[in-house]
Amino acid sequence: MATINNNYLKLKAGYLFPEIARRVNAFAAANPDAKIIRLGIGDVTEPLPEACRKAMIKAVEDMGERGSFKGYGPEQGYGWLRETIARHDFQSRGCDIDADEIFISDGSKCDTGNILDIFGDDNKIAVTDPVYPVYVDTNVMAGHTGPANEKGEFEGLVYLPVTAENNFTAEVPAEKVDLIYLCFPNNPTGAVASKENLTQWVNYAKQNNAIILFDAAYEAYITEDNIPHSIYEIEGAKDCAIEFRSFSKTAGFTGTRCAFTVVPKNLKAKAADNSDVELWKLWNRRQSTKFNGVSYIVQRGAEAVYSEEGQAQVKALISFYLENAAIIREKLTAAGLAVYGGVNAPYVWVKTPDNLSSWDFFDKLLQNSNVVGTPGSGFGAAGEGYFRISAFNSRENVVEAMRRITGVN
Ligand code: MLT
């Protein structure tokens, strides 16, 4: 009989968001009249910017003419999109990133999981706690961990707790690790990293020959000055970091699918024979073999994000969600809750009242207010006692959810 990848059996229950959806669906079935407001999964709700839609319609027309029809595109993405990204997102901020170091993909979730294909199985891996669950689960699936303990911590991973006590900013570990996942602006806490903090990480990585996997999917939500938007704003980061970016939350592409990963050409890691190998070559080889690129139509839509019209529309979209976050912060603070994040990120991280556990608070909100959030403990043991509220919804729903939770208009 065929056998399975036994590592999957180590995973806890379901992936967090399908598990929440399962509980919410059960509640909805038992309470068909409840008007449930979903502020759980960070999925955008507002229409795709017009500039993107227009560009995609034009691209569909291109596909209808023999002269402009496109078959397979380059696995790495079209040159015109990679060049536009390099110029706008990196070179304009003083980061020396070339177009051919940018790999277009269908999502950062996929890329942060797939990147493990090019790393060995013997790396010591550090994650913050709480953490975006994909980083942990994909390492479990790849066999990089032992079993989980009763708190849900997997043997073999180095967990770096981030709580209100350390301002949700992990310090570099005392021990030596090889791969470090950092996410800023942070999902789930909404925290951002200062230049000083990221400099410590880059210095640590260089001293320990470690690689930072830097997830900047929420970069467009940074509102405060002097917060780095890219790890490559830190000197030396090109020698020790891979960066993940996405159009999902920036331009409403969660259903359209487009993202990119930056793998600098001079970034190297060790082979078994002790030689240094360029990770760019391995990722290029991996993508060429396992991926056939993002559709031409979607890449044209993503390119339009950088047009003058697109930039104005995307900024308006982000401001809209950040205003939602400000309303959530303001109403919950007035109700006496301790809230974090939501200033440079679309997530508000809330301390549960009365020492309720994260899942007890989830149940209470669902039952009493018919509002869905995400239990902090779903992101890791140190998330226990916290709760994440997403700002991705209509204004009407956000205002109504806050009225129901606080009992105040
Ligand atoms: C979240 O809610 O954390 C996000 O939707 C996750 C994701 O982008 O995959």
Side-chain angles (χ1 to χ4, degrees), residues 80-380:
W80 36 262
L81 179 55
R82 301 169 86 195
E83 272 153 29
T84 305
I85 291 170
R87 225 177 22 253
H88 279 83
D89 286 342
F90 297 101
Q91 291 158 11
S92 72
R93 299 192 67 85
C95 308
D96 175 26
I97 295 293
D98 282 339
D100 59 0
E101 297 176 307
I102 292 167
F103 293 80
I104 310 298
S105 78
D106 60 348
S108 287
K109 178 176 172 177
C110 326
D111 283 358
T112 53
N114 291 336
I115 200 77
L116 293 178
D117 275 9
I118 66 168
F119 288 104
D121 292 329
D122 46 359
N123 287 306
K124 188 106 186 138
I125 294 159
V127 292
T128 60
D129 177 10
V131 67
Y132 179 43
V134 171
Y135 313 152
V136 171
D137 286 6
T138 53
N139 274 290
V140 176
M141 290 170 178
H144 296 166
T145 74
N149 64 18
E150 70 292 343
K151 280 159 70 187
E153 294 164 334
F154 287 92
E155 190 185 291
L157 291 184
V158 174
Y159 288 92
L160 308 170
V162 289
T163 58
E165 286 69 46
N166 59 11
N167 222 1
F168 302 101
T169 312
E171 294 300 322
V172 299
E175 64 194 289
K176 181 173 162 29
V177 301
D178 306 301
L179 289 180
I180 304 145
Y181 289 84
L182 293 180
C183 173
F184 288 113
N186 188 256
N187 178 13
T189 66
V192 281
S194 65
K195 196 160 191 174
E196 293 68 35
N197 180 255
L198 289 184
T199 301
Q200 281 174 19
W201 279 108
V202 167
N203 292 343
Y204 171 91
K206 292 190 71 159
Q207 276 155 19
N208 292 281
N209 291 321
I211 305 275
I212 298 171
L213 301 173
F214 191 77
D215 185 348
Y218 299 93
E219 159 278 331
Y221 286 80
I222 295 174
T223 55
E224 290 177 324
D225 292 338
N226 302 320
I227 302 290
H229 287 234
S230 165
I231 188 85
Y232 304 117
E233 289 175 44
I234 310 299
E235 205 182 321
K238 272 191 85 177
D239 302 325
C240 65
I242 289 174
E243 181 163 308
F244 304 93
R245 292 272 190 112
S246 172
F247 293 96
S248 282
K249 314 295 159 78
T250 306
F253 270 53
T254 54
T256 306
R257 312 303 309 148
C258 198
F260 57 93
T261 288
V262 185
V263 186
K265 285 232 165 126
N266 50 345
L267 183 59
K268 298 190 180 83
K270 284 270 176 244
D273 66 3
N274 213 32
S275 62
D276 290 342
V277 176
E278 284 172 32
L279 291 170
W280 183 94
K281 284 192 181 149
L282 301 190
W283 186 244
N284 192 47
R285 184 72 174 80
R286 191 259 172 220
Q287 291 299 81
S288 307
T289 303
K290 293 197 181 181
F291 188 55
N292 256 337
V294 175
S295 85
Y296 169 71
I297 297 162
V298 167
Q299 291 192 62
R300 281 294 186 202
E303 184 193 29
V305 165
Y306 298 96
S307 66
E308 207 180 314
E309 193 194 357
Q311 285 289 286
Q313 291 165 7
V314 158
K315 284 203 173 80
L317 195 57
I318 290 165
S319 299
F320 173 81
Y321 290 127
L322 283 172
E323 282 160 23
N324 281 350
I327 292 169
I328 296 168
R329 280 181 59 90
E330 186 204 320
K331 296 289 180 188
L332 296 183
T333 306
L337 293 171
V339 302
Y340 307 92
V343 173
N344 298 292
Y347 298 123
V348 179
W349 189 240
V350 185
K351 183 86 191 80
T352 60
D354 308 323
N355 284 325
L356 283 178
S357 77
S358 299
W359 276 109
D360 284 349
F361 191 60
F362 173 89
D363 288 334
K364 187 174 168 193
L365 279 197
L366 183 58
Q367 305 277 342
N368 299 353
S369 312
N370 302 158
V371 174
V372 180
T374 308
S377 56
F379 296 101

